[in-house]
Amino acid sequence: MKENLRIIISGGGTGGHIFPAVSIANAIKELQPNTEILFVGAEGRMEMHRVPAAGYPIKGLPVAGFDRKNLLKNIPVLIKLFKSQRLARKIVKDFRPHAAVGVGGYASGPTLKVAGSMGIPTLLQEQNSYAGVTNKLLAKQAKKICVAYEGMERFFDKSKIILTGNPVRQGLLNHSIQREEAISSFGLDPQKKTVLILGGSLGARTINQCLMANLDKVKSSGVQFIWQTGKIYIEEARKAVAQAGELPMLHVTDFISDMATAYSAADLVISRAGAGSISEFCLLQKPVILVPSPNVAEDHQTKNALALVNKNAALYVKDAEAKDLLLDKAIEAVNQPELLKNLSKNIAELAFTDSANVIAKEVIKLAENYQKEHGR
């Protein structure tokens, strides 16, 4: 009797990697319900909590990122990498997967390298418009590379590339909440223009500092704001808000679990330019001001942002200029219905509607071919 398919999905570090990974896993299970899926993440990172919460088992590797500024600090990192490769080999041997998927993040490097060296077919999901170092190294062994942007043949073998877009969180599209109801759920006024401020799952220092330094503008703007600070910044933000006096037009929280409602409430979004977030804005046709993080490899968020800006599908403020310009730009933009309408129309044209399913089908194909060839 033929065994169930077994698939490893590896990566994480931020919500931008975890949400697509879980979406791919869910799509695989929908297509092939008996498939066994094992996640491999990095110890101490978000995925070690979020993946089990989504109903999947996960193993952790003691892997960490390289310090590009202080090379001496990388000696412990190299030791962790060596340990991670040894542990990844044991995980792969014990689980005996028919395919392995890498979604980016620290853990995907050792896991996919080991899987590929053992002859297991690998699929990479490159979310950004500028390929990361890990994926560039893993690409030689990979059978398929799923990308979200055109022109990725400058990094990868053209014959392996499939343009799929990035999977997004399930539930964002299948909801029925109306704008007025969504705004009221945050204790705000449905009659007013609403700006949603996101710093990613961990928070964004510059965006948060911009708000804290300009609470007087928030008060006098005639606009209201939903502000997700991230856990690191919530106490500082609450203290600043308390000192500023009553701000009924501002809802502050460290994390928004119901993003479908938050997006429904928003006339305009302010966000970092992570690939996963951008995919959500495209699908939901949300006008957005992107503030790329400068603290990412190869400055890939700026490249992600400019891919939209060059198609008049988003507004853009440099991180270094955000404290002075961002809030004024947001207040001005959210009061221009024609601008919002054009941004919404243009960003919608960049959306991929079925990414998770397309990727899941490719993974299943690789796994089934491997199973046929190896009789297990």
Side-chain angles (χ1 to χ4, degrees):
M1 190 176 131
K2 199 164 79 165
E3 294 180 14
N4 292 337
L5 291 182
R6 291 183 297 277
I7 290 162
I8 277 180
I9 299 177
S10 184
T14 66
H17 287 126
I18 298 161
F19 298 133
V22 169
S23 293
I24 293 166
N26 291 344
I28 290 168
K29 292 289 273 184
E30 242 174 68
L31 293 165
Q32 293 270 29
N34 295 327
T35 302
E36 295 169 42
I37 295 174
L38 175 67
F39 278 75
V40 180
E43 287 174 358
R45 305 290 290 189
M46 280 174 72
E47 58 266 27
M48 301 309 294
H49 305 289
R50 291 282 166 81
V51 168
Y56 295 100
I58 186 167
K59 302 265 186 188
L61 302 180
V63 66
F66 281 95
D67 190 320
R68 291 161 194 255
K69 291 173 185 169
N70 189 337
L71 295 179
L72 286 175
K73 286 188 179 173
N74 288 319
I75 294 166
V77 175
L78 289 168
I79 293 165
K80 285 181 176 180
L81 183 60
F82 176 71
K83 284 182 181 171
S84 295
Q85 285 185 328
R86 226 171 39 189
L87 185 52
R89 185 167 291 276
K90 184 180 183 322
I91 291 167
V92 172
K93 269 187 171 176
D94 290 349
F95 188 65
R96 298 185 306 126
H98 300 104
V101 181
V103 296
Y106 302 141
S108 64
T111 309
L112 272 281
K113 189 181 177 202
V114 163
S117 71
M118 292 168 72
I120 291 150
T122 61
L123 177 145
L124 300 180
Q125 201 242 330
E126 175 52 67
Q127 299 180 353
N128 295 295
S129 61
Y130 193 92
V133 174
T134 304
N135 274 353
K136 282 192 267 191
L137 292 172
L138 294 171
K140 292 178 180 68
Q141 284 183 325
K143 296 287 185 191
K144 297 288 177 186
I145 303 167
C146 296
V147 301
Y149 293 87
E150 291 169 353
M152 296 302 283
E153 57 274 8
R154 68 193 194 275
F155 304 111
F156 304 126
D157 178 344
K158 193 176 180 179
S159 66
K160 296 180 179 182
I161 293 174
I162 308 165
L163 184 62
T164 60
N166 289 321
V168 301
R169 287 174 267 198
Q170 270 103 346
L172 284 183
L173 293 169
N174 309 322
H175 70 90
S176 55
I177 191 161
Q178 297 301 307
R179 178 183 176 276
E180 289 74 15
E181 187 189 343
I183 291 172
S184 296
S185 74
F186 289 98
L188 298 173
D189 182 354
Q191 302 304 313
K192 288 187 175 178
K193 294 288 184 183
T194 305
V195 178
L196 172 64
I197 301 163
L198 303 171
S201 48
L202 302 174
R205 181 188 296 278
T206 305
I207 294 174
N208 287 328
Q209 285 180 338
C210 168
L211 262 288
M212 286 185 269
N214 291 289
L215 288 171
D216 55 331
K217 282 185 186 172
V218 167
K219 197 179 272 191
S220 62
S221 66
V223 174
Q224 55 195 5
F225 299 84
I226 300 165
W227 178 16
Q228 178 188 271
T229 65
K231 285 179 184 170
I232 302 165
Y233 303 101
I234 186 64
E235 291 310 319
E236 198 183 344
R238 282 183 179 143
K239 196 184 285 185
V241 169
Q243 285 170 356
E246 275 194 47
L247 293 165
M249 75 298 297
L250 179 64
H251 176 93
V252 187
T253 180
D254 61 338
F255 185 74
I256 299 170
S257 54
D258 184 359
M259 282 305 301
T261 298
Y263 282 137
S264 294
D267 297 295
L268 176 71
V269 181
I270 292 172
S271 173
R272 288 303 200 192
S277 298
I278 286 175
S279 297
E280 292 180 355
F281 306 145
C282 292
L283 270 174
L284 298 170
Q285 306 176 21
K286 281 291 156 190
V288 62
I289 300 177
L290 297 171
V291 187
S293 170
N295 308 312
V296 292
E298 286 95 20
D299 195 24
H300 69 249
Q301 285 204 5
T302 297
K303 296 173 178 88
N304 290 349
L306 292 177
L308 271 70
V309 172
N310 292 337
K311 294 182 178 177
N312 296 318
L315 302 175
Y316 163 59
V317 173
K318 288 181 182 174
D319 187 86
E321 298 172 351
K323 199 169 176 184
D324 297 325
L325 303 181
L326 180 59
L327 209 54
D328 288 337
K329 190 166 186 128
I331 293 163
E332 186 187 338
V334 80
N335 285 304
Q336 294 183 58
E338 203 55 36
L339 172 65
L340 296 182
K341 189 176 158 190
N342 285 333
L343 288 171
S344 180
K345 177 177 155 290
N346 293 340
I347 204 168
E349 288 170 8
L350 306 177
F352 290 87
T353 55
D354 202 28
S355 301
N357 267 327
V358 175
I359 295 168
K361 283 173 186 170
E362 291 296 330
V363 176
I364 289 167
K365 210 186 295 177
L366 288 179
E368 286 179 338
N369 287 342
Y370 179 84
Q371 192 178 47
K372 272 181 207 159
E373 287 168 17
H374 293 79
R376 66 173 179 84

